[in-house]
Amino acid sequence: IQHSYSSLHTLVLNDYRELKEEDLLPALPHFRKLRNLDISRCLQVTNRTLLLISEHLFMTLEILYMKGLKKVTDAGMIALSKKCSKLRVLELSEVPISDESGISIGKHLRRLEALYMRDNFTLTNRSIDVITTNCTLLTQLTLWGCIKLKTLKFNAENLVLLNLWGCHGLTDAVAESMGCLCNLKSLILSECHRLSDTFIVSLSRTVPQIYHLDLRYVRRITDTSIRSIAASMTNIYTIDLTFCTRVSAQALADLLSIRPNLSELRLFSCHQLDERGILSLLREASSENNYLSILDIRECFEISEDLRRKFSSLGGFHEKEKISGFLHRATKWSEKMTCKFEVQIECNDGNLGLVENPRRSSDADLIYGRVS
């Protein structure tokens, strides 16, 4: 890259595990126009690299992926956050930082639009609250596995995607703190084991505009939650109820009836469902005005050949090849949903370019909430 120093805008080195830090360090001072840098899982990278980045790239750097840098500590992260104030996208998953780094990020990186933190186990409300109140431009926030998080405090009305997977400490009371998230479209709550119907009922009232709701392993919810979602979440498009074993087939059929625009319903390992219950879902999905395109009933029960024949006759569903119980059919959007997505894409056109590395996520991922 010696011939590209002056013009290089993007440098992607992710998974270059054999990269020696001493080979990277001499080049960094010469990247005068570098905007996007991916050094994820470059296992030899230490604080020395972050110090050089903060010293030489602070004027141009906007996107930084540094997932899995196990040798980086608070000292390097704090130095970087104090200088690189133009950062818009930051990936910090699996980096052994503490609240000191989190506080520094919240104080200095106020232009952040996307922050991804997975398995940063030591972070607590002491730092997360600083980030969620000061970084008001955030549209995407991942706090996956922040197990010490107890409450939520927001001052980020632009937030579109919020990933709280595995935040075990969250309780029902956090729903009230989401009332300001008027643009939230995707909410991931998988494995938030302490949440119950009380949370979902409150959530349905405070952020009814949600399109994508992931409740995998939230095993305390019952039909009360399903009815609340059906009554209030008028835009609901996908819902994941994997391992939610206390919801009934009747409540799910009612959901499909009340919200025919629901396109994806995941019920993996919902052992309480039987063949009769699934038939009721298929009959509801066979309605001309129903737009369900994916129904996941894997490992709910042993599927009989008779039921398999009814998959197609009742709703035009087919099992995905070699995946028993994963039913799909051609996607069909109502005119109402088509218009909504067109408006959403237009409104968020500036945000779709946040993650410029196509290996990370696609525009569809950003729209449908599949960024982890």
Side-chain angles (χ1 to χ4, degrees), residues 208-270:
Q209 76 279 0
I210 286 179
Y211 282 41
H212 314 284
L213 184 59
D214 191 330
L215 297 172
R216 174 187 306 227
Y217 277 106
V218 184
R219 304 185 73 163
R220 297 177 65 186
I221 65 172
T222 70
D223 288 353
T224 299
S225 291
I226 304 304
R227 295 191 185 101
S228 182
I229 291 169
S232 301
M233 293 189 175
T234 57
N235 295 327
I236 194 70
Y237 188 72
T238 69
I239 185 168
D240 191 338
L241 297 168
T242 294
F243 286 103
C244 294
T245 55
R246 299 177 66 187
V247 299
S248 70
Q250 183 59 57
L252 295 171
D254 291 343
L255 173 66
L256 291 179
S257 174
I258 297 170
R259 297 297 165 210
N261 287 323
L262 186 70
S263 177
E264 185 174 316
L265 178 59
R266 293 182 179 267
L267 303 169
F268 180 87
S269 285
C270 288

Short mmCIF file of all heavy atoms in Angstrom, two decimals, residues 208-270:
data_model
loop_
_atom_site.label_atom_id
_atom_site.label_comp_id
_atom_site.label_asym_id
_atom_site.label_seq_id
_atom_site.Cartn_x
_atom_site.Cartn_y
_atom_site.Cartn_z
N PRO A 208 -45.34 1.95 19.86
CA PRO A 208 -46.21 1.10 19.04
C PRO A 208 -45.78 1.02 17.58
O PRO A 208 -46.30 0.18 16.83
CB PRO A 208 -47.57 1.78 19.17
CG PRO A 208 -47.24 3.23 19.40
CD PRO A 208 -46.01 3.21 20.26
N GLN A 209 -44.81 1.86 17.17
CA GLN A 209 -44.43 1.93 15.76
C GLN A 209 -43.43 0.85 15.35
O GLN A 209 -43.00 0.80 14.20
CB GLN A 209 -43.84 3.31 15.45
CG GLN A 209 -42.40 3.54 15.95
CD GLN A 209 -42.31 3.91 17.42
OE1 GLN A 209 -43.33 4.01 18.10
NE2 GLN A 209 -41.11 4.14 17.90
N ILE A 210 -43.05 -0.04 16.25
CA ILE A 210 -42.01 -1.04 15.97
C ILE A 210 -42.41 -1.94 14.80
O ILE A 210 -43.55 -2.39 14.70
CB ILE A 210 -41.72 -1.87 17.23
CG1 ILE A 210 -40.91 -1.04 18.23
CG2 ILE A 210 -40.97 -3.15 16.89
CD1 ILE A 210 -40.60 -1.76 19.52
N TYR A 211 -41.44 -2.23 13.93
CA TYR A 211 -41.62 -3.15 12.81
C TYR A 211 -41.12 -4.55 13.15
O TYR A 211 -41.71 -5.55 12.74
CB TYR A 211 -40.83 -2.66 11.58
CG TYR A 211 -41.45 -1.54 10.80
CD1 TYR A 211 -42.05 -0.47 11.43
CD2 TYR A 211 -41.39 -1.54 9.41
CE1 TYR A 211 -42.60 0.57 10.70
CE2 TYR A 211 -41.93 -0.51 8.68
CZ TYR A 211 -42.53 0.55 9.32
OH TYR A 211 -43.07 1.58 8.59
N HIS A 212 -39.99 -4.62 13.87
CA HIS A 212 -39.31 -5.90 14.08
C HIS A 212 -39.06 -6.09 15.57
O HIS A 212 -38.39 -5.27 16.21
CB HIS A 212 -37.99 -5.94 13.32
CG HIS A 212 -38.12 -5.46 11.91
ND1 HIS A 212 -38.67 -6.22 10.92
CD2 HIS A 212 -37.80 -4.27 11.34
CE1 HIS A 212 -38.68 -5.53 9.79
NE2 HIS A 212 -38.16 -4.35 10.02
N LEU A 213 -39.61 -7.17 16.11
CA LEU A 213 -39.53 -7.42 17.55
C LEU A 213 -39.00 -8.84 17.78
O LEU A 213 -39.61 -9.82 17.33
CB LEU A 213 -40.90 -7.25 18.18
CG LEU A 213 -41.00 -7.39 19.70
CD1 LEU A 213 -40.11 -6.36 20.40
CD2 LEU A 213 -42.45 -7.23 20.15
N ASP A 214 -37.87 -8.94 18.48
CA ASP A 214 -37.25 -10.23 18.76
C ASP A 214 -37.40 -10.53 20.25
O ASP A 214 -36.78 -9.86 21.08
CB ASP A 214 -35.77 -10.19 18.36
CG ASP A 214 -35.12 -11.56 18.38
OD1 ASP A 214 -35.56 -12.41 19.18
OD2 ASP A 214 -34.17 -11.78 17.61
N LEU A 215 -38.21 -11.55 20.56
CA LEU A 215 -38.48 -11.93 21.95
C LEU A 215 -38.00 -13.36 22.24
O LEU A 215 -38.52 -14.03 23.14
CB LEU A 215 -39.97 -11.81 22.24
CG LEU A 215 -40.57 -10.41 22.12
CD1 LEU A 215 -42.08 -10.45 22.23
CD2 LEU A 215 -39.98 -9.48 23.17
N ARG A 216 -37.03 -13.79 21.50
CA ARG A 216 -36.48 -15.14 21.68
C ARG A 216 -36.05 -15.38 23.12
O ARG A 216 -35.37 -14.56 23.73
CB ARG A 216 -35.29 -15.28 20.73
CG ARG A 216 -34.50 -16.54 20.85
CD ARG A 216 -33.26 -16.46 19.96
NE ARG A 216 -33.61 -16.14 18.57
CZ ARG A 216 -33.12 -16.79 17.51
NH1 ARG A 216 -32.30 -17.79 17.67
NH2 ARG A 216 -33.46 -16.42 16.31
N TYR A 217 -36.48 -16.49 23.67
CA TYR A 217 -36.13 -16.88 25.04
C TYR A 217 -36.70 -15.95 26.12
O TYR A 217 -36.28 -16.04 27.27
CB TYR A 217 -34.62 -16.98 25.22
CG TYR A 217 -34.00 -18.28 24.77
CD1 TYR A 217 -33.27 -18.34 23.59
CD2 TYR A 217 -34.14 -19.44 25.54
CE1 TYR A 217 -32.68 -19.53 23.17
CE2 TYR A 217 -33.56 -20.63 25.12
CZ TYR A 217 -32.84 -20.67 23.94
OH TYR A 217 -32.26 -21.85 23.52
N VAL A 218 -37.62 -15.07 25.77
CA VAL A 218 -38.28 -14.28 26.81
C VAL A 218 -39.48 -15.14 27.25
O VAL A 218 -40.63 -14.92 26.85
CB VAL A 218 -38.73 -12.90 26.28
CG1 VAL A 218 -39.33 -12.05 27.41
CG2 VAL A 218 -37.54 -12.16 25.67
N ARG A 219 -39.21 -16.12 28.09
CA ARG A 219 -40.13 -17.23 28.31
C ARG A 219 -41.25 -16.92 29.30
O ARG A 219 -42.14 -17.75 29.51
CB ARG A 219 -39.34 -18.46 28.77
CG ARG A 219 -38.26 -18.83 27.77
CD ARG A 219 -37.55 -20.10 28.13
NE ARG A 219 -38.40 -21.26 27.89
CZ ARG A 219 -37.93 -22.50 27.80
NH1 ARG A 219 -36.64 -22.73 27.91
NH2 ARG A 219 -38.74 -23.51 27.61
N ARG A 220 -41.24 -15.74 29.89
CA ARG A 220 -42.29 -15.39 30.85
C ARG A 220 -43.52 -14.80 30.18
O ARG A 220 -44.57 -14.65 30.81
CB ARG A 220 -41.74 -14.42 31.90
CG ARG A 220 -40.60 -15.01 32.73
CD ARG A 220 -40.05 -13.99 33.72
NE ARG A 220 -41.04 -13.62 34.73
CZ ARG A 220 -40.86 -12.67 35.63
NH1 ARG A 220 -39.72 -11.98 35.66
NH2 ARG A 220 -41.80 -12.39 36.51
N ILE A 221 -43.42 -14.45 28.90
CA ILE A 221 -44.56 -13.81 28.25
C ILE A 221 -45.64 -14.84 27.91
O ILE A 221 -45.35 -16.01 27.66
CB ILE A 221 -44.14 -13.03 26.99
CG1 ILE A 221 -43.58 -13.96 25.92
CG2 ILE A 221 -43.14 -11.94 27.33
CD1 ILE A 221 -43.34 -13.27 24.60
N THR A 222 -46.88 -14.37 27.91
CA THR A 222 -48.04 -15.22 27.65
C THR A 222 -48.91 -14.59 26.58
O THR A 222 -48.51 -13.63 25.91
CB THR A 222 -48.86 -15.40 28.95
OG1 THR A 222 -49.49 -14.13 29.27
CG2 THR A 222 -47.98 -15.83 30.11
N ASP A 223 -50.14 -15.10 26.46
CA ASP A 223 -51.09 -14.55 25.48
C ASP A 223 -51.37 -13.08 25.71
O ASP A 223 -51.73 -12.35 24.78
CB ASP A 223 -52.40 -15.34 25.53
CG ASP A 223 -52.28 -16.73 24.94
OD1 ASP A 223 -51.21 -17.04 24.37
OD2 ASP A 223 -53.23 -17.51 25.06
N THR A 224 -51.21 -12.63 26.94
CA THR A 224 -51.43 -11.21 27.25
C THR A 224 -50.51 -10.34 26.40
O THR A 224 -50.93 -9.30 25.87
CB THR A 224 -51.18 -10.94 28.75
OG1 THR A 224 -52.10 -11.70 29.52
CG2 THR A 224 -51.34 -9.46 29.06
N SER A 225 -49.26 -10.75 26.26
CA SER A 225 -48.31 -10.00 25.43
C SER A 225 -48.71 -10.04 23.95
O SER A 225 -48.65 -9.02 23.25
CB SER A 225 -46.90 -10.59 25.59
OG SER A 225 -46.39 -10.34 26.87
N ILE A 226 -49.11 -11.21 23.47
CA ILE A 226 -49.48 -11.34 22.06
C ILE A 226 -50.69 -10.46 21.75
O ILE A 226 -50.74 -9.78 20.71
CB ILE A 226 -49.77 -12.82 21.71
CG1 ILE A 226 -48.58 -13.71 22.08
CG2 ILE A 226 -50.11 -12.95 20.23
CD1 ILE A 226 -47.27 -13.29 21.44
N ARG A 227 -51.66 -10.44 22.64
CA ARG A 227 -52.84 -9.61 22.41
C ARG A 227 -52.51 -8.12 22.44
O ARG A 227 -53.06 -7.33 21.68
CB ARG A 227 -53.91 -9.93 23.46
CG ARG A 227 -54.46 -11.35 23.37
CD ARG A 227 -55.69 -11.53 24.25
NE ARG A 227 -56.14 -12.92 24.25
CZ ARG A 227 -55.91 -13.80 25.21
NH1 ARG A 227 -55.21 -13.41 26.29
NH2 ARG A 227 -56.35 -15.03 25.13
N SER A 228 -51.57 -7.75 23.31
CA SER A 228 -51.17 -6.35 23.38
C SER A 228 -50.44 -5.92 22.12
O SER A 228 -50.65 -4.83 21.59
CB SER A 228 -50.27 -6.13 24.61
OG SER A 228 -49.91 -4.79 24.74
N ILE A 229 -49.58 -6.80 21.61
CA ILE A 229 -48.87 -6.51 20.35
C ILE A 229 -49.88 -6.37 19.21
O ILE A 229 -49.81 -5.44 18.40
CB ILE A 229 -47.85 -7.64 20.05
CG1 ILE A 229 -46.70 -7.59 21.06
CG2 ILE A 229 -47.31 -7.51 18.63
CD1 ILE A 229 -45.79 -8.81 21.01
N ALA A 230 -50.83 -7.30 19.17
CA ALA A 230 -51.84 -7.27 18.10
C ALA A 230 -52.69 -6.00 18.16
O ALA A 230 -53.03 -5.41 17.13
CB ALA A 230 -52.73 -8.50 18.19
N ALA A 231 -52.99 -5.55 19.36
CA ALA A 231 -53.87 -4.40 19.52
C ALA A 231 -53.18 -3.08 19.22
O ALA A 231 -53.80 -2.15 18.68
CB ALA A 231 -54.43 -4.38 20.94
N SER A 232 -51.88 -2.98 19.54
CA SER A 232 -51.22 -1.67 19.50
C SER A 232 -50.14 -1.51 18.44
O SER A 232 -49.94 -0.41 17.93
CB SER A 232 -50.60 -1.37 20.89
OG SER A 232 -51.60 -1.38 21.89
N MET A 233 -49.42 -2.57 18.12
CA MET A 233 -48.29 -2.45 17.19
C MET A 233 -48.80 -2.60 15.76
O MET A 233 -48.69 -3.66 15.14
CB MET A 233 -47.20 -3.47 17.52
CG MET A 233 -46.53 -3.20 18.85
SD MET A 233 -45.08 -4.25 19.12
CE MET A 233 -44.47 -3.57 20.68
N THR A 234 -49.30 -1.52 15.23
CA THR A 234 -49.96 -1.54 13.93
C THR A 234 -49.00 -1.80 12.76
O THR A 234 -49.44 -2.20 11.69
CB THR A 234 -50.70 -0.22 13.69
OG1 THR A 234 -49.76 0.86 13.80
CG2 THR A 234 -51.79 -0.01 14.72
N ASN A 235 -47.69 -1.56 12.97
CA ASN A 235 -46.72 -1.74 11.89
C ASN A 235 -45.95 -3.04 11.99
O ASN A 235 -45.05 -3.29 11.18
CB ASN A 235 -45.69 -0.60 11.91
CG ASN A 235 -46.32 0.74 11.61
OD1 ASN A 235 -47.27 0.83 10.84
ND2 ASN A 235 -45.79 1.80 12.22
N ILE A 236 -46.26 -3.90 12.96
CA ILE A 236 -45.43 -5.07 13.21
C ILE A 236 -45.29 -5.91 11.94
O ILE A 236 -46.28 -6.25 11.29
CB ILE A 236 -45.99 -5.91 14.39
CG1 ILE A 236 -44.97 -6.92 14.88
CG2 ILE A 236 -47.34 -6.52 14.05
CD1 ILE A 236 -43.79 -6.31 15.59
N TYR A 237 -44.05 -6.23 11.60
CA TYR A 237 -43.74 -6.90 10.34
C TYR A 237 -43.06 -8.24 10.58
O TYR A 237 -43.31 -9.20 9.85
CB TYR A 237 -42.83 -5.98 9.50
CG TYR A 237 -42.59 -6.45 8.10
CD1 TYR A 237 -43.61 -6.40 7.15
CD2 TYR A 237 -41.35 -6.94 7.71
CE1 TYR A 237 -43.38 -6.83 5.85
CE2 TYR A 237 -41.11 -7.37 6.42
CZ TYR A 237 -42.14 -7.32 5.49
OH TYR A 237 -41.92 -7.75 4.21
N THR A 238 -42.20 -8.33 11.58
CA THR A 238 -41.59 -9.61 11.94
C THR A 238 -41.57 -9.74 13.47
O THR A 238 -41.38 -8.75 14.17
CB THR A 238 -40.14 -9.75 11.42
OG1 THR A 238 -39.29 -8.85 12.14
CG2 THR A 238 -40.05 -9.43 9.94
N ILE A 239 -41.76 -10.97 13.94
CA ILE A 239 -41.70 -11.22 15.38
C ILE A 239 -41.10 -12.60 15.61
O ILE A 239 -41.45 -13.57 14.94
CB ILE A 239 -43.10 -11.08 16.04
CG1 ILE A 239 -42.98 -11.22 17.56
CG2 ILE A 239 -44.09 -12.06 15.45
CD1 ILE A 239 -44.25 -10.81 18.29
N ASP A 240 -40.16 -12.68 16.55
CA ASP A 240 -39.50 -13.93 16.89
C ASP A 240 -39.91 -14.34 18.30
O ASP A 240 -39.61 -13.64 19.27
CB ASP A 240 -37.98 -13.76 16.81
CG ASP A 240 -37.22 -15.09 16.90
OD1 ASP A 240 -37.80 -16.07 17.42
OD2 ASP A 240 -36.06 -15.15 16.46
N LEU A 241 -40.61 -15.47 18.40
CA LEU A 241 -41.08 -15.99 19.68
C LEU A 241 -40.44 -17.34 20.00
O LEU A 241 -41.01 -18.17 20.71
CB LEU A 241 -42.60 -16.12 19.67
CG LEU A 241 -43.38 -14.80 19.51
CD1 LEU A 241 -44.85 -15.07 19.22
CD2 LEU A 241 -43.23 -13.94 20.76
N THR A 242 -39.25 -17.56 19.47
CA THR A 242 -38.53 -18.81 19.71
C THR A 242 -38.46 -19.12 21.21
O THR A 242 -38.08 -18.27 22.01
CB THR A 242 -37.11 -18.71 19.13
OG1 THR A 242 -37.20 -18.62 17.70
CG2 THR A 242 -36.25 -19.90 19.50
N PHE A 243 -38.81 -20.35 21.57
CA PHE A 243 -38.78 -20.83 22.96
C PHE A 243 -39.76 -20.09 23.88
O PHE A 243 -39.65 -20.21 25.10
CB PHE A 243 -37.37 -20.75 23.55
CG PHE A 243 -36.44 -21.82 23.02
CD1 PHE A 243 -35.49 -21.53 22.08
CD2 PHE A 243 -36.55 -23.13 23.50
CE1 PHE A 243 -34.64 -22.51 21.59
CE2 PHE A 243 -35.69 -24.12 23.03
CZ PHE A 243 -34.74 -23.82 22.06
N CYS A 244 -40.69 -19.36 23.34
CA CYS A 244 -41.73 -18.73 24.17
C CYS A 244 -42.87 -19.75 24.30
O CYS A 244 -43.79 -19.79 23.47
CB CYS A 244 -42.22 -17.43 23.55
SG CYS A 244 -40.95 -16.14 23.49
N THR A 245 -42.82 -20.57 25.33
CA THR A 245 -43.68 -21.75 25.44
C THR A 245 -44.99 -21.51 26.17
O THR A 245 -45.73 -22.45 26.43
CB THR A 245 -42.91 -22.88 26.14
OG1 THR A 245 -42.43 -22.40 27.41
CG2 THR A 245 -41.73 -23.33 25.30
N ARG A 246 -45.29 -20.24 26.48
CA ARG A 246 -46.52 -19.95 27.23
C ARG A 246 -47.55 -19.19 26.38
O ARG A 246 -48.53 -18.67 26.91
CB ARG A 246 -46.19 -19.16 28.50
CG ARG A 246 -45.27 -19.93 29.45
CD ARG A 246 -44.89 -19.09 30.66
NE ARG A 246 -46.06 -18.82 31.50
CZ ARG A 246 -46.03 -18.00 32.56
NH1 ARG A 246 -44.90 -17.36 32.87
NH2 ARG A 246 -47.11 -17.80 33.28
N VAL A 247 -47.30 -19.12 25.07
CA VAL A 247 -48.27 -18.47 24.19
C VAL A 247 -49.06 -19.55 23.45
O VAL A 247 -48.53 -20.61 23.10
CB VAL A 247 -47.58 -17.52 23.19
CG1 VAL A 247 -46.86 -16.41 23.93
CG2 VAL A 247 -46.62 -18.26 22.28
N SER A 248 -50.33 -19.30 23.23
CA SER A 248 -51.20 -20.31 22.62
C SER A 248 -51.36 -20.10 21.12
O SER A 248 -51.15 -19.00 20.60
CB SER A 248 -52.58 -20.27 23.29
OG SER A 248 -53.27 -19.08 22.92
N ALA A 249 -51.78 -21.17 20.45
CA ALA A 249 -52.03 -21.09 19.02
C ALA A 249 -53.18 -20.13 18.73
O ALA A 249 -53.16 -19.42 17.71
CB ALA A 249 -52.34 -22.47 18.47
N GLN A 250 -54.18 -20.08 19.60
CA GLN A 250 -55.31 -19.20 19.37
C GLN A 250 -54.88 -17.73 19.38
O GLN A 250 -55.29 -16.94 18.53
CB GLN A 250 -56.38 -19.42 20.44
CG GLN A 250 -57.63 -18.59 20.25
CD GLN A 250 -58.30 -18.86 18.91
OE1 GLN A 250 -58.65 -20.00 18.62
NE2 GLN A 250 -58.47 -17.83 18.09
N ALA A 251 -54.01 -17.36 20.35
CA ALA A 251 -53.54 -15.98 20.40
C ALA A 251 -52.72 -15.65 19.15
O ALA A 251 -52.81 -14.53 18.61
CB ALA A 251 -52.71 -15.76 21.66
N LEU A 252 -51.93 -16.60 18.68
CA LEU A 252 -51.12 -16.37 17.48
C LEU A 252 -52.00 -16.25 16.24
O LEU A 252 -51.74 -15.42 15.36
CB LEU A 252 -50.12 -17.51 17.31
CG LEU A 252 -49.05 -17.61 18.41
CD1 LEU A 252 -48.26 -18.91 18.26
CD2 LEU A 252 -48.11 -16.42 18.35
N ALA A 253 -53.05 -17.07 16.16
CA ALA A 253 -53.99 -16.96 15.03
C ALA A 253 -54.69 -15.61 15.05
O ALA A 253 -54.90 -14.99 14.00
CB ALA A 253 -55.00 -18.10 15.10
N ASP A 254 -55.04 -15.15 16.24
CA ASP A 254 -55.68 -13.83 16.36
C ASP A 254 -54.71 -12.74 15.91
O ASP A 254 -55.12 -11.75 15.28
CB ASP A 254 -56.10 -13.58 17.80
CG ASP A 254 -57.27 -14.48 18.22
OD1 ASP A 254 -57.93 -15.04 17.33
OD2 ASP A 254 -57.48 -14.62 19.45
N LEU A 255 -53.43 -12.90 16.24
CA LEU A 255 -52.41 -11.93 15.81
C LEU A 255 -52.36 -11.86 14.28
O LEU A 255 -52.32 -10.76 13.71
CB LEU A 255 -51.05 -12.34 16.36
CG LEU A 255 -49.84 -11.53 15.89
CD1 LEU A 255 -49.91 -10.08 16.38
CD2 LEU A 255 -48.53 -12.17 16.37
N LEU A 256 -52.39 -13.01 13.62
CA LEU A 256 -52.36 -13.03 12.15
C LEU A 256 -53.62 -12.41 11.56
O LEU A 256 -53.59 -11.79 10.50
CB LEU A 256 -52.21 -14.47 11.65
CG LEU A 256 -50.87 -15.14 11.91
CD1 LEU A 256 -50.88 -16.57 11.38
CD2 LEU A 256 -49.73 -14.36 11.27
N SER A 257 -54.74 -12.57 12.27
CA SER A 257 -56.00 -12.01 11.78
C SER A 257 -56.02 -10.49 11.93
O SER A 257 -56.42 -9.77 11.01
CB SER A 257 -57.16 -12.63 12.56
OG SER A 257 -58.38 -12.03 12.22
N ILE A 258 -55.56 -10.01 13.10
CA ILE A 258 -55.61 -8.57 13.37
C ILE A 258 -54.52 -7.82 12.64
O ILE A 258 -54.71 -6.68 12.20
CB ILE A 258 -55.51 -8.33 14.89
CG1 ILE A 258 -56.70 -8.96 15.61
CG2 ILE A 258 -55.43 -6.84 15.22
CD1 ILE A 258 -56.57 -9.01 17.12
N ARG A 259 -53.35 -8.46 12.50
CA ARG A 259 -52.20 -7.84 11.83
C ARG A 259 -51.81 -8.66 10.60
O ARG A 259 -50.78 -9.34 10.59
CB ARG A 259 -51.02 -7.72 12.80
CG ARG A 259 -51.28 -6.83 14.00
CD ARG A 259 -51.55 -5.40 13.56
NE ARG A 259 -52.15 -4.62 14.65
CZ ARG A 259 -52.98 -3.61 14.46
NH1 ARG A 259 -53.32 -3.26 13.22
NH2 ARG A 259 -53.47 -2.94 15.48
N PRO A 260 -52.60 -8.61 9.54
CA PRO A 260 -52.33 -9.43 8.35
C PRO A 260 -51.04 -9.04 7.62
O PRO A 260 -50.55 -9.80 6.78
CB PRO A 260 -53.56 -9.20 7.45
CG PRO A 260 -54.07 -7.86 7.89
CD PRO A 260 -53.83 -7.80 9.37
N ASN A 261 -50.48 -7.85 7.94
CA ASN A 261 -49.23 -7.44 7.30
C ASN A 261 -48.01 -8.12 7.91
O ASN A 261 -46.90 -7.95 7.41
CB ASN A 261 -49.05 -5.93 7.41
CG ASN A 261 -49.99 -5.18 6.47
OD1 ASN A 261 -50.25 -5.63 5.35
ND2 ASN A 261 -50.52 -4.06 6.93
N LEU A 262 -48.18 -8.87 9.00
CA LEU A 262 -47.07 -9.60 9.59
C LEU A 262 -46.49 -10.56 8.56
O LEU A 262 -47.20 -11.39 8.00
CB LEU A 262 -47.54 -10.39 10.82
CG LEU A 262 -46.45 -11.09 11.63
CD1 LEU A 262 -45.59 -10.08 12.37
CD2 LEU A 262 -47.06 -12.08 12.63
N SER A 263 -45.19 -10.42 8.29
CA SER A 263 -44.55 -11.20 7.23
C SER A 263 -43.76 -12.39 7.75
O SER A 263 -43.57 -13.37 7.03
CB SER A 263 -43.62 -10.29 6.41
OG SER A 263 -42.95 -11.03 5.41
N GLU A 264 -43.30 -12.31 9.00
CA GLU A 264 -42.42 -13.36 9.52
C GLU A 264 -42.78 -13.68 10.96
O GLU A 264 -42.79 -12.80 11.82
CB GLU A 264 -40.96 -12.89 9.43
CG GLU A 264 -39.94 -13.92 9.81
CD GLU A 264 -38.52 -13.42 9.57
OE1 GLU A 264 -38.28 -12.81 8.49
OE2 GLU A 264 -37.66 -13.61 10.44
N LEU A 265 -43.06 -14.95 11.23
CA LEU A 265 -43.41 -15.41 12.57
C LEU A 265 -42.56 -16.62 12.89
O LEU A 265 -42.68 -17.68 12.26
CB LEU A 265 -44.90 -15.76 12.64
CG LEU A 265 -45.43 -16.30 13.97
CD1 LEU A 265 -45.21 -15.29 15.10
CD2 LEU A 265 -46.91 -16.66 13.86
N ARG A 266 -41.69 -16.46 13.89
CA ARG A 266 -40.77 -17.54 14.26
C ARG A 266 -41.20 -18.15 15.59
O ARG A 266 -41.28 -17.46 16.60
CB ARG A 266 -39.34 -17.01 14.33
CG ARG A 266 -38.80 -16.59 12.97
CD ARG A 266 -37.36 -16.12 13.03
NE ARG A 266 -36.87 -15.74 11.72
CZ ARG A 266 -36.20 -16.56 10.89
NH1 ARG A 266 -35.95 -17.79 11.27
NH2 ARG A 266 -35.79 -16.13 9.72
N LEU A 267 -41.44 -19.48 15.55
CA LEU A 267 -41.95 -20.21 16.71
C LEU A 267 -41.08 -21.43 17.02
O LEU A 267 -41.57 -22.44 17.53
CB LEU A 267 -43.40 -20.65 16.45
CG LEU A 267 -44.39 -19.53 16.10
CD1 LEU A 267 -45.70 -20.10 15.59
CD2 LEU A 267 -44.62 -18.63 17.31
N PHE A 268 -39.81 -21.35 16.72
CA PHE A 268 -38.89 -22.47 16.93
C PHE A 268 -38.99 -23.00 18.36
O PHE A 268 -38.93 -22.23 19.33
CB PHE A 268 -37.47 -22.00 16.62
CG PHE A 268 -36.40 -23.07 16.79
CD1 PHE A 268 -36.09 -23.91 15.74
CD2 PHE A 268 -35.73 -23.21 17.99
CE1 PHE A 268 -35.10 -24.88 15.88
CE2 PHE A 268 -34.76 -24.18 18.15
CZ PHE A 268 -34.45 -25.01 17.10
N SER A 269 -39.15 -24.31 18.50
CA SER A 269 -39.18 -24.99 19.81
C SER A 269 -40.28 -24.48 20.74
O SER A 269 -40.13 -24.51 21.96
CB SER A 269 -37.82 -24.88 20.51
OG SER A 269 -36.90 -25.76 19.91
N CYS A 270 -41.38 -24.03 20.16
CA CYS A 270 -42.56 -23.72 20.98
C CYS A 270 -43.34 -25.04 21.15
O CYS A 270 -44.30 -25.33 20.40
CB CYS A 270 -43.41 -22.65 20.31
SG CYS A 270 -42.67 -21.01 20.36
#
